[in-house]
Amino acid sequence: MNMINVVSTDPRPTDDVWIPSSCSVCYGTCSILAHRVDGVVVKIEGNPESAVGKGRLCGKGVSGIMTHYDPNRLTRPLRRTNPKKGLSEDPRWQEISWDEALDEISAVLRKVRAEDPRKLVVQRTTTVTASRVLFQTFAAAFGTPNLSTSGGGLHCGNGAHLISGIMHASWSIVPDFEYCNYAIFFGASKGHAAGHASCSNMGKAADARARGMKMVVVDPICNFAAAKATEWVPLRVGTDAALALAMCNIMVNELGIYDGPYLQAKTNAPYLIGPDKLYVRHPESKQPLVWDTRSNNAHPFTEVAAADMALEGEFTVDGKRCRPSFHCLRDHLRKFTPEWAEKISTIGAATIRRLAKEFGTEARVGSTIVIEGVTLPYRPVAAIAFRGSQGHLNSLYNFYAVDLLNHLVGAADVVGSCLGFNPASHGHPDTGKLRYIPSADPDGLMVSGMWMGYHYPYPPSEPRLPTNIGMQDLFVLGMISPFLDSTDREEMWERFDFPYRPEVMVNFGANLLMSIANKEAVAASLANYKFMVSFDLFLTETSNFADIVLPDCSYLQSLDSRSNFPFLFNLPAGMGEWCWPIRQPLLPPDGEQRQCADVLLEIADRVGFRADLNAAYNASLNMQAPHRLDRETRYSYAQICDAELKNNFGPERGLDWFKEHGLIKWKKKPEEVYWRPFVDVRVPIYWEFMLPIGAKIAAIAEPRGLKIPMEYYEPMPDFLPCVSHCCQKPDFDFYAFYYRDVVHTNSFTMENPWLDEAARLDPFSYTVAINAAEARKRSLHDGQLVWIESEAGRKVKGRLKLTEAVHPEGLGIAAMCGHWSDGMPVAKGKGVFFNELLELDWEHVSPANMSLDLCAKVRVVPVEVAS
Ligand code: SF4
């Protein structure tokens, strides 16, 4: 590591400095040191001072220079001169001045805000995490609830974040790598070059494997995580719940392994469930009742010692037969035998039994460990899931079933177990700011202390007649919605008598056309907007539908008082340090590039809602006097960043202090990291709240002709098939799925020449992985050009790569390749556009959380035969 020589970040004609900042090539936001020589950034390294990345950078982070210096970057505002919008329409761009651009944008927004602010849709990419504050405040101040992150959420997190929030008060989950001895990953790459806290977790996972942690990866493809695992368990795409439920059944019903004291004290396992599947409640206080084994009677859960709460038995309360929810769950699990799960998942029953036994035994139920003088429960096992398992119709139950493995043995937020990302913080020692801790709702169930999504994961809102175009106010368990762009969106809006339609879009860097589903569906939606403005680095497929394109600054030219969303999102879990890094501009804008944060402030001024925007910033950043923004003052974004930093860390630690130091950090305490024994909250192993939500949604939707499949609203998880599992067409014998290639972030890094070169060297990045034996049975060969055709008749072309490392029924394709925009010439024409195979309608969306079904039953046809 070179010496850090921190000086002013003003570019000079001659300089030689290392400047601390934050990567933004993916949402990992690892802390970086950038070496600037004579005004040119010549190298980027990880910042070893930071807990975010821990001094590491991935290949994408190292290559960020090439994205910044790409000659295809936009440098001037552009106006479309061709009024027609379509996939084959040339926008006929014309360069215009910023004044012209902002005049036009402001006039449109002023008119829409006066008519009905909900006609504005705000889209943003998930890649730039810090943009969340900018665009949520802008949307809130403008008055629109219609905010989206295109493919993010809809593909990756509608289930994962919801359930991590309900069960761990966190955005996501990860093994406690320092102490975990046995981790089982269901369609997740955390710690293996992707996911939250990516670079930090890579080091932690590698150390854990070297220490001897057994790592089992359940995945249809053996690539980034599975290739480093102790054991790869290939399964049929989308059947994760079948395996997890069978493992739960073996542990509880065959081996009798579960953590009774944890279930009694920290979950709703003792709550009595009546014949209507709902809690039996106290007639006056309405608290859920438990059976007190000491008095042999039912009492509210707050009035009985946890150790005296019955977990099993049949009781009569007020004439109703009832059982503790654990008893219900135990009975429910019996039907998920390993033999049943084998038929669904293709994993052998003996393997399922062995995995359950290994997991249950290694959990060491009842054991404790001392960490920094504090005695804590020790459960060194973790089951985690992410995009792969939850991106299906059965999104909720897939993830819920996986996480039940943890909760049955008490392996949740204690030493060695499945951890949320920092759900409890006692705040900075000097200011006490950034303090948040989960709390209990009236039923004793956990409410997150902090959240960053569309709504808190629990308690769910009351479903109501929807007025948001994504209908999250009806489907209250969903965050990001397909109904902004779905082929049946107009039918949906008519069904619910929507009083308005989306007319204007403000887009920040999201490439919707590539990140959601088939391009015809999304193009039809985009073409319908009367006006669209897009902040972009390049002319993407999506910006070609805009009316005005604004040249944004790259992360090496941008300022952010928070590099990501602290601390639920990207700070590594486990012991270590709290760490708040900033991002600072190392280079000036090129041409007329401007950072979107400042442009949004100017638009608010021109449209006339600056006061509302300042108020929204105060609310979003939890600003306290004297740092609260004055309603009428015109602040620059740098001034807002300065105010936020002083608000959190004291008046002496404003923007100048952070520009010099790059970050602030302080030590985590065991009571923060392993918070579960110290906070009196319970989590639901029985989701009683699902039934009333489903009933209320059905009461609104069904009179309007939308049938709600109630099997998705049951309180205990099940395996429910994807559309692809039900396909009966002959010859359609493969399940196409996509995976996230670790050399790429979403779709935009394919324009980066170093990453493109790395992808071309990788035999799989731009090809279609097919099981070698299955290919040979069909006389298909390595490198063969084929059509992959979905049962709905959608087709993509790609070259086959034969391998043993994919399930016999699987076709694995790296996500979001196949660009076609001339504005990204390096990326254009490379790889296979998987999303073209995805339908975008009600039938292909989870009726519970609106997660899109991300697999398709396909057939493979050689190009020469097809032609
Ligand atoms: S993991 Fe993401 S944030 Fe970290 S170095 Fe790589 S691209 Fe940058």
Side-chain angles (χ1 to χ4, degrees), residues 71 79 155 258 323 383 439 493 514 516 524 529 684 701 731 846 862:
R79 177 196 281 137
H155 283 222
Y258 55 90
R323 300 179 300 168
S439 58
W493 298 335
M514 296 197 70
I516 294 184
Y529 283 88
D731 302 335
S846 159

Side-chain angles (χ1 to χ4, degrees), residues 139-154:
F142 190 87
T144 180
N146 296 316
L147 188 69
S148 184
T149 51
S150 63
L154 187 56

Side-chain angles (χ1 to χ4, degrees), residues 22-32 44-46 52-53 56-64 127 193-200 202 555 570 583 742 744-745 748-749 755:
S22 297
C23 184
S24 190
V25 182
C26 86
Y27 62 50
T29 66
C30 300
S31 298
I32 60 172
I44 299 174
E45 295 185 359
V52 184
R56 294 178 177 82
L57 281 194
C58 77
K60 293 171 289 186
V62 171
S63 309
T127 305
H196 306 102
S198 181
C199 279
S200 320
M202 280 186 239
Y555 72 105
N570 244 345
R583 176 172 299 114
V742 295
H744 284 307
T745 301
F748 96 101
T749 52
L755 297 175

Side-chain angles (χ1 to χ4, degrees), residues 660-713:
E660 185 183 346
H661 296 88
L663 55 91
I664 191 167
K665 58 184 180 177
W666 64 100
K667 201 168 173 301
K668 287 181 182 174
K669 298 180 227 163
E671 296 86 340
E672 293 172 308
V673 175
Y674 306 117
W675 56 277
R676 189 79 73 156
F678 303 97
V679 182
D680 189 15
V681 294
R682 293 170 180 270
V683 296
I685 59 146
Y686 180 97
W687 287 15
E688 190 249 13
F689 57 86
M690 290 292 276
L691 290 161
I693 289 177
K696 285 172 190 167
I697 293 171
I700 294 167
E702 293 193 347
R704 291 164 187 269
L706 188 67
K707 178 92 183 105
I708 304 297
M710 294 306 288
E711 63 271 27
Y712 287 85
Y713 288 92

Side-chain angles (χ1 to χ4, degrees), residues 361-381:
T361 307
E362 188 55 51
R364 306 184 192 197
V365 171
S367 60
T368 57
I369 191 171
V370 178
I371 303 288
E372 296 186 5
V374 184
T375 302
L376 296 159
Y378 177 50
R379 301 286 182 279
V381 294

Side-chain angles (χ1 to χ4, degrees), residues 8 29 111 132 209 239 269 363 411 461 518 533 561 585 589 613 682:
S8 160
T29 66
K111 179 168 175 291
R132 172 190 171 273
R209 293 193 308 267
T239 61
S461 314
N518 73 79
V533 55
S561 47
L613 189 57
R682 293 170 180 270

